[in-house]
Amino acid sequence: SSGTTGLPKGICHTHYSILKAAELIRGQDFRNELIYTNYIPYWNVFVFYLHQSIYTKGARLLVPRFDITNPWDMFSYMATWVILDITSSLALCRTPKPKNVDLRSLKSILVAGTTIYEEQLEEIRETFPNVFVSQMYGQSEVFSPLTYFDLAKAKHVHFLHTKKGSCGLPMRGTCYKVVDPDTDKVLGPNQKGEIRVKSQMQLGGYYNLDSSGIWDSDGWLKTGDYGYYDEDYCFYVIDRLKEMFPYRVKHITPASIENVINTHPAVLKSVVIGIPHYIDNHHAMALVVLKPGLPNVTGEEIQKYVEDRLDDPFHLRAGVKFVENFPMTPSGKVHRLKLKEMVFNEL
């Protein structure tokens, strides 16, 4: 696992869970496709697309490493399907495209790996205007993706364009429910709670760790993801439950604040964490990386920007801290645990 909120864990899959995931893609024809993914062999995504290339007769593009400082280099090859994390995707958006890069073969960009905001997807779509850009939801505990939009199906393509913020429709072979994380009450459409799944492709447990707590009393896997599905069964992931924090009696989702901060013209990226407070449980603090070459902005300006756009519980009562960059995990996600340790050590 990525280890964004704690230590990385070894995830134990069986041959059955791995091959059952591969069975989902049998019958597809990728003979004329060149697929690129920047996920390294530590992650299930790498193996999943390895099996896809074998079963569907497609070719994979392997490069030593995705270079954030020269992100367009991999497009010197005529890839047709590209799977990227959000950090790599935004690096492409914010780096001028070289004149010799030809994107006429590119059909689809699939973004995955963490909570993705609709504004980020729109930025990617503006950079790749003639390409299907969508997000996929999954986690290493289940070997196949959990939701995505299948571009071979008209209904999926329709929802991709009309369901803003959705990470797709359910995958065949997996059962889903959304529950209140405090009471375990099963919730209906458009009601927010923890997403839980049952699948033949899920893990058997964590390596050398007590794994009993990852399933509920009915045997459903607790994904730890906070979200909902709508009346058409399109899923939306809002945040990780572990990244949420209480302010008084309300649970605050950092992504809802980060989503606003990231629209500020001077902000490159942001992370919101909860700072413990004696009376209010926690106050929100924003850590912000500014875009280079723009006039400096103050923490008070960022706080006012949020106050003008969000309700009172989401205000940045613990202030704003500017940093040069964020610590990252090997899978390209922000290492929130290290970030919190850095902040708490300075308090």
Side-chain angles (χ1 to χ4, degrees), residues 273-291:
I273 62 173
I275 302 298
H277 188 270
Y278 183 71
I279 296 174
D280 295 333
N281 279 327
H282 292 82
H283 285 172
M285 171 186 279
L287 295 105
V288 174
V289 177
L290 295 175
K291 293 178 181 177

Side-chain angles (χ1 to χ4, degrees), residues 72-325:
W72 291 98
D73 184 56
M74 50 120 345
F75 284 101
S76 58
Y77 301 90
M78 304 296 282
T80 57
W81 291 70
V82 172
I83 300 96
L84 294 172
D85 59 77
I86 189 63
T87 303
S88 302
S89 302
L90 294 179
L92 286 163
C93 297
R94 295 165 186 181
T95 304
K97 180 170 75 70
K99 292 182 179 180
N100 63 336
V101 170
D102 186 351
L103 298 176
R104 285 177 294 178
S105 65
L106 186 59
K107 300 175 182 178
S108 170
I109 294 179
L110 198 57
V111 188
T114 188
T115 304
I116 302 161
Y117 315 129
E118 182 60 27
E119 289 78 5
Q120 293 171 324
L121 285 177
E122 288 302 319
E123 187 175 351
I124 300 168
R125 288 175 181 133
E126 289 174 7
T127 305
F128 298 89
N130 300 313
V131 177
F132 282 110
V133 177
S134 60
Q135 60 171 311
M136 176 176 67
Y137 164 55
Q139 55 180 208
S140 301
E141 283 81 357
V142 182
F143 212 83
S144 73
L146 287 172
T147 67
Y148 84 121
F149 288 118
D150 185 345
L151 302 184
K153 298 177 181 177
K155 183 176 78 170
H156 286 237
V157 174
H158 171 70
F159 285 155
L160 169 61
H161 293 302
T162 58
K163 300 286 188 176
K164 298 297 184 183
S166 174
C167 53
L169 286 158
M171 289 283 288
R172 178 170 54 89
T174 300
C175 299
Y176 305 76
K177 69 177 179 180
V178 176
V179 305
D180 184 314
D182 296 322
T183 66
D184 276 0
K185 177 186 175 183
V186 177
L187 305 175
N190 299 304
Q191 294 181 294
K192 298 172 183 176
E194 183 183 18
I195 299 169
R196 296 183 183 176
V197 297
K198 262 188 181 181
S199 172
Q200 293 176 314
M201 296 161 281
Q202 68 192 33
L203 78 168
Y206 292 119
Y207 181 69
N208 281 349
L209 290 173
D210 178 13
S211 307
S212 57
I214 63 176
W215 292 282
D216 67 16
S217 57
D218 296 318
W220 292 73
L221 177 67
K222 301 176 183 178
T223 67
D225 291 313
Y226 186 71
Y228 65 98
Y229 63 92
D230 65 17
E231 60 282 350
D232 294 310
Y233 300 102
C234 289
F235 272 78
Y236 303 77
V237 177
I238 300 171
D239 216 335
R240 291 285 296 166
L241 279 171
K242 285 184 178 180
E243 293 168 9
M244 296 168 61
F245 55 86
Y247 167 71
R248 296 181 181 173
V249 296
K250 185 175 181 64
H251 288 282
I252 304 300
T253 53
S256 60
I257 308 175
E258 294 163 1
N259 196 14
V260 169
I261 298 173
N262 291 339
T263 64
H264 190 287
V267 173
L268 181 62
K269 51 188 173 181
S270 66
V271 170
V272 171
I273 62 173
I275 302 298
H277 188 270
Y278 183 71
I279 296 174
D280 295 333
N281 279 327
H282 292 82
H283 285 172
M285 171 186 279
L287 295 105
V288 174
V289 177
L290 295 175
K291 293 178 181 177
L294 294 178
N296 286 336
V297 62
T298 66
E300 290 74 17
E301 289 178 73
I302 299 294
Q303 287 177 286
K304 180 68 164 56
Y305 190 81
V306 170
E307 289 168 5
D308 290 343
R309 290 163 176 79
L310 291 176
D311 293 337
D312 181 79
F314 296 89
H315 292 177
L316 299 170
R317 288 176 166 80
V320 176
K321 180 179 178 62
F322 295 105
V323 296
E324 292 187 2
N325 221 319

